Amino acid sequence: MSIITRHELLLFEALREGLEEEMERDPRVYVMGEDVGHYGGSYKVTKGLATKFGDLRVLDTPIAENSFTGMGIGAAMTGLRPIVEGMNMGFLLLAFNQISNNCGMLHYTSGGQFTIPIVIRGPGGVGRQLGAEHSQRLESYFQSIPGIQMVACSTPYNAKGLMKAAIRSENPVILFEHVLLYNLKERIPDEDYICNLEEAEMVRPGEHVTILTYSRMRYHVMQAAKTLVNKGYDPEVIDIRSLKPFDLYTIGNSVKKTHRVLIVEECMRTGGIGASLIAAITENFNDYLDAPIMCLSSQDVPTPYAGTLEEWTVVQPAQIVAAVEQLCQ
Amino acid sequence: MCAQMYYRGKMFGFVHLYNGQEAVSTGFIKLLKQQDSVVSTYRDHVHALSKGVPARAVMSELFGKTTGCCRGQGGSMHMFSREHNLLGGFAFIGEGIPVATGAAFTSKYKREVLKEADCDHVTLAFFGDGTCNNGQFFECLNMAALWKLPIVFVVENNLWAIGMSHLRATSDPQIYKKGPAFGMPGIHVDGMDVLKVREVAKEAIGRARRGEGPTLVECETYRFRGHSLADPDELRDPAEKAHYAARDPITALKKYLIENSLASEADLKAIDKKIDEVVEDAVEFADESPVPSQSQLLENVFADPKGFGIGPDGRYRCEDPKFTEGTAHV
């Protein structure tokens, strides 16, 4: 058994490490977006890469999201492997035309002739009082686009592993990061590794209830888990990571074991990832459920600026504890 | 012929014909190499044919057959050919221009980053006057000039965006003048004269190939039919239609060839006959071709079918036989 040597870094550094390794490995891999080059990225994910790889491989673009995303798609169709950064994922609403029509469907409409090995990535989620527009969770909008995969990273380890996997995928992949997770610290292996895009991650095995979550909510769930354990509960916590497609194997096995499901997400309730998860679980594992699936989401509310109001739009650990207690009566 | 087939119920949906604008397609595309790329719009049949896509493949796609250039999955507004570097018909106004800009970026990237010194591929983006008021047009003019990309923006100004006259939609209707505003030459040309178009095209494509950057070419042309086969075409003034009909580019070229004894009536008749045969053959081929079976439904959704995810049994769902039958619930 070889000794795994590790090094400690922050999540945004892990993203950069994965990106850098893939750029070294394949000269067709390049980055484009607003302030990704000289500025080093709004959250420093691409800091230093422009000096190392040059201004064409780390392309600072004008502020024209729909067009530079479409440019990335055209480049992907003709042999390159672009990584398009949304400075904030919310900005990519402007690029919805390109992401939906060309990223998602063009492989199909072309009869399979053209592939779009593109990664679209960037920070989303509710931050520290960023206001309604900069606090959006676009995964619920993008999830109904056919032909696209979506993953959400939550730790330095899976951030690097998912970045590498997304870049190597022949499918268009949207990689969701979170504004408040960039400075998470972790010791990750020195040796090369890659995560599986389609797999969920078992965070904490347990028997009593399955808690499905992703991105930042994983940490609220784990905070709640401490309280729950002290109260004698044994929650199983799964970070679904793959928002589309769902890992029905890991989720299913957990449901068959615990028979109770709680979903904790940052999406707004209507049409969120949670709503799709409920549908998938009900369709596939309804017989194993002893109680209706519970889902804690943000309300359908534009994220308020005021801190006290903002906090109430994000599921808090205490709510998770209460939900589990109710679910496990 | 397409119109006949449409009215006979052989093809459906939105079909936009190109009659009247042939000088632009031929004038530009016949100067290209196979590796050069063309990006079109929903009015793409003739762009596809000009770039080399066989008539059988185009007609079969219109008939929704497996022998179509996109296996019947794209249809009239989504003609693609990897072999001929037709990077697509695009149904939404303006959404093809960024894709074309990206293809031009690849050419520059290959030369400068991947050190493929002889890579001088050029991309042509075709679109209409209506598109020239869309954001993607302006955004791409800026980026193409900024990075000196090998692209030519070819505006087929046929004066109408369905029922909206260009003059009612555009503050400054002289589109070519917008080129210099973004740092590239802007040229206006008579889009009903293939030789004039060809001359302008040669210069613009040459510029791009030499790495001197993009050009905006506005071809004033006209569509002899409605916007699509479903358009009653009641708004356009008959006098305007007659004016441009009198300048039919094909008739004009025929006259030029005969007057300059470059071809005889007999030669041209022979060509007409050959073309009729090609079209008849294409229709026959398309008619006899098989329709896609249900098993084709789920093909090409993902380049890597692992994208369908892992199923309850732990195997990738795409390994489920229902996928090959096209009956799996996705």
Side-chain angles (χ1 to χ4, degrees):
Chain A
M1 218 282 277
S2 67
I3 309 144
I4 298 179
T5 56
R6 293 172 177 277
H7 56 287
E8 184 173 80
L9 42 62
L10 306 179
L11 191 142
F12 76 89
E13 291 167 330
L15 286 167
R16 185 193 312 149
E17 204 171 90
L19 187 49
E20 197 167 354
E21 285 173 10
E22 293 304 307
M23 288 182 81
E24 274 155 0
R25 178 177 174 276
D26 183 344
R28 298 169 305 161
V29 175
Y30 78 100
V31 182
M32 61 190 300
E34 294 153 15
D35 271 324
V36 293
H38 296 192
Y39 185 74
S42 53
Y43 289 90
K44 298 298 162 261
V45 171
T46 53
K47 191 147 185 58
L49 297 185
T51 2
K52 176 170 182 180
F53 292 106
D55 284 355
L56 212 54
R57 288 195 72 186
V58 188
L59 188 69
D60 281 326
T61 64
I63 303 171
E65 288 84 356
N66 203 23
S67 286
F68 69 65
T69 303
M71 224 180 98
I73 291 161
M77 288 167 68
T78 50
L80 302 187
R81 303 184 77 87
I83 296 140
V84 173
E85 173 173 302
M87 179 176 273
N88 180 292
M89 277 308 238
F91 298 173
L92 295 184
L93 279 175
L94 289 158
F96 209 101
N97 172 5
Q98 291 295 336
I99 293 170
S100 169
N101 294 8
N102 293 342
C103 219
M105 299 195 281
L106 191 143
H107 179 63
Y108 196 86
T109 51
S110 69
Q113 292 177 85
F114 289 97
T115 54
I116 324 281
I118 193 170
V119 176
I120 294 172
R121 52 157 290 273
V126 178
R128 284 276 178 281
Q129 300 186 220
L130 303 178
E133 293 183 41
H134 284 71
S135 312
Q136 297 182 72
R137 284 76 88 198
L138 261 51
E139 55 268 30
S140 45
Y141 303 164
F142 290 138
Q143 65 174 329
S144 47
I145 298 169
I148 276 189
Q149 286 188 242
M150 301 194 317
V151 287
C153 62
S154 49
T155 66
Y157 178 83
N158 67 37
K160 178 179 179 182
L162 289 173
M163 170 73 88
K164 287 167 73 74
I167 292 168
R168 294 189 195 183
S169 171
E170 288 310 315
N171 297 336
V173 179
I174 303 180
L175 168 59
F176 290 91
E177 298 147 19
H178 195 287
V179 283
L180 292 183
L181 297 185
Y182 280 121
N183 294 322
L184 278 180
K185 200 178 280 186
E186 188 179 14
R187 294 176 60 72
I188 65 171
D190 296 334
E191 62 179 2
D192 199 12
Y193 71 89
I194 196 162
C195 292
N196 182 334
L197 282 179
E198 295 84 24
E199 271 174 14
E201 185 178 317
M202 177 61 71
V203 183
R204 182 193 186 280
E207 300 291 328
H208 296 158
V209 59
T210 299
I211 304 179
L212 304 174
T213 186
Y214 68 93
S215 190
R216 183 187 173 219
M217 286 302 99
R218 167 179 173 149
Y219 296 92
H220 282 203
V221 166
M222 288 310 285
Q223 249 177 286
K226 287 200 196 87
T227 315
L228 287 166
V229 167
N230 295 342
K231 291 183 172 217
Y233 293 95
D234 183 20
E236 178 149 295
V237 179
I238 293 174
D239 181 342
I240 61 170
R241 264 183 19 193
S242 180
L243 310 183
K244 180 171 189 182
F246 295 136
D247 175 355
L248 293 178
Y249 179 63
T250 307
I251 293 168
N253 284 349
S254 183
V255 173
K256 289 173 191 168
K257 180 168 63 171
T258 70
H259 308 294
R260 297 168 195 283
V261 175
L262 169 64
I263 299 167
V264 181
E265 63 172 347
E266 223 178 316
C267 285
M268 295 181 186
R269 186 151 204 74
T270 302
I273 296 292
S276 300
L277 251 179
I278 293 171
I281 296 168
T282 312
E283 278 163 12
N284 289 282
F285 313 109
N286 198 47
D287 303 344
Y288 299 97
L289 290 171
D290 291 347
I293 301 169
M294 281 186 79
C295 179
L296 297 178
S297 323
S298 294
Q299 305 94 327
D300 290 354
V301 165
T303 308
Y305 167 72
T308 48
L309 289 180
E310 180 182 69
E311 203 181 341
W312 285 329
T313 69
V314 175
V315 176
Q316 299 300 331
Q319 291 169 268
I320 298 166
V321 171
V324 168
E325 285 172 328
Q326 184 189 333
L327 200 53
C328 294
Q329 266 156 0
Chain B
M1 179 57 86
C2 280
Q4 279 178 42
M5 290 304 124
Y6 185 86
Y7 297 127
R8 269 202 228 141
K10 296 285 184 185
M11 59 176 90
F12 298 88
F14 293 127
V15 179
H16 310 79
L17 300 187
Y18 197 74
N19 307 66
Q21 301 181 194
E22 295 86 352
V24 181
S25 181
T26 302
F28 268 95
I29 297 179
K30 288 308 174 188
L31 286 171
L32 296 182
K33 305 178 193 166
Q34 173 120 357
Q35 304 85 348
D36 293 327
S37 297
V38 163
V39 173
S40 180
T41 66
Y42 41 79
R43 205 179 299 283
D44 53 357
H45 305 176
V46 173
H47 291 148
L49 295 169
S50 298
K51 193 65 174 52
V53 182
R56 283 185 165 192
V58 172
M59 195 60 84
S60 301
E61 187 61 32
L62 293 172
F63 277 46
K65 300 300 185 73
T66 55
T67 50
C69 55
C70 302
R71 312 177 69 212
Q73 292 170 193
S76 170
M77 299 187 284
H78 301 285
M79 296 267 170
F80 289 84
S81 170
R82 187 172 189 82
E83 183 193 341
H84 303 92
N85 285 300
L86 173 65
L87 305 185
F90 290 87
F92 280 13
I93 290 297
E95 73 178 346
I97 304 175
V99 169
T101 310
F105 178 79
T106 296
S107 178
K108 178 185 175 84
Y109 189 96
K110 280 183 175 170
R111 202 170 47 253
E112 295 178 16
V113 173
L114 304 182
K115 304 301 180 202
E116 295 175 18
D118 57 357
C119 173
D120 61 357
H121 307 151
V122 172
T123 298
L124 301 186
F126 288 90
F127 49 89
D129 46 285
T131 301
C132 294
N133 296 319
N134 183 274
Q136 291 169 105
F137 169 63
F138 300 111
E139 291 174 339
C140 289
L141 289 187
N142 176 52
M143 290 193 288
L146 191 63
W147 298 318
K148 277 192 178 313
L149 300 182
I151 184 169
V152 183
F153 299 99
V154 184
V155 185
E156 293 173 313
N157 179 359
N158 57 20
L159 312 183
W160 289 88
I162 306 184
M164 186 65 169
S165 154
H166 177 54
L167 305 177
R168 290 184 57 221
T170 315
S171 43
D172 181 348
Q174 293 176 301
I175 299 168
Y176 70 96
K177 278 167 47 181
K178 294 170 189 185
F182 286 88
M184 72 183 73
I187 299 153
H188 181 278
V189 68
D190 174 3
M192 303 301 271
D193 182 328
V194 65
L195 299 182
K196 286 200 183 113
V197 171
R198 182 180 171 85
E199 205 184 310
V200 166
K202 216 178 277 180
E203 172 47 30
I205 291 169
R207 235 180 81 78
R209 223 183 276 293
R210 292 189 301 270
E212 290 165 24
T215 308
L216 173 65
V217 178
E218 175 189 354
C219 306
E220 189 186 328
T221 185
Y222 201 71
R223 53 173 161 84
F224 291 163
R225 306 181 76 98
H227 169 68
S228 73
L229 290 177
D231 171 16
D233 189 12
E234 290 155 347
L235 273 177
R236 295 187 306 166
D237 173 9
E240 181 186 80
K241 292 182 188 177
H243 167 70
Y244 282 97
R247 301 178 57 228
D248 181 322
I250 297 172
T251 320
L253 180 62
K254 183 176 174 184
K255 187 160 161 288
Y256 174 86
L257 291 174
I258 290 175
E259 278 170 7
N260 293 279
S261 54
L262 296 166
S264 68
E265 279 286 350
D267 298 334
L268 298 180
K269 270 217 172 37
I271 291 173
D272 276 349
K273 186 165 174 301
K274 186 173 144 274
I275 294 300
D276 286 346
E277 283 157 13
V278 167
V279 175
E280 288 302 330
D281 166 74
V283 168
E284 212 175 291
F285 176 80
D287 220 21
E288 285 157 10
S289 294
V291 289
S293 63
Q294 188 173 353
S295 65
Q296 184 178 322
L297 176 63
L298 299 178
E299 289 169 11
N300 310 137
V301 174
F302 285 108
D304 177 354
K306 292 211 298 294
F308 285 116
I310 299 167
D313 59 3
R315 291 177 36 246
Y316 271 99
R317 294 177 61 227
C318 56
E319 292 156 7
D320 169 353
K322 291 216 266 342
F323 270 79
T324 40
E325 294 152 21
T327 54
H329 178 62
V330 176

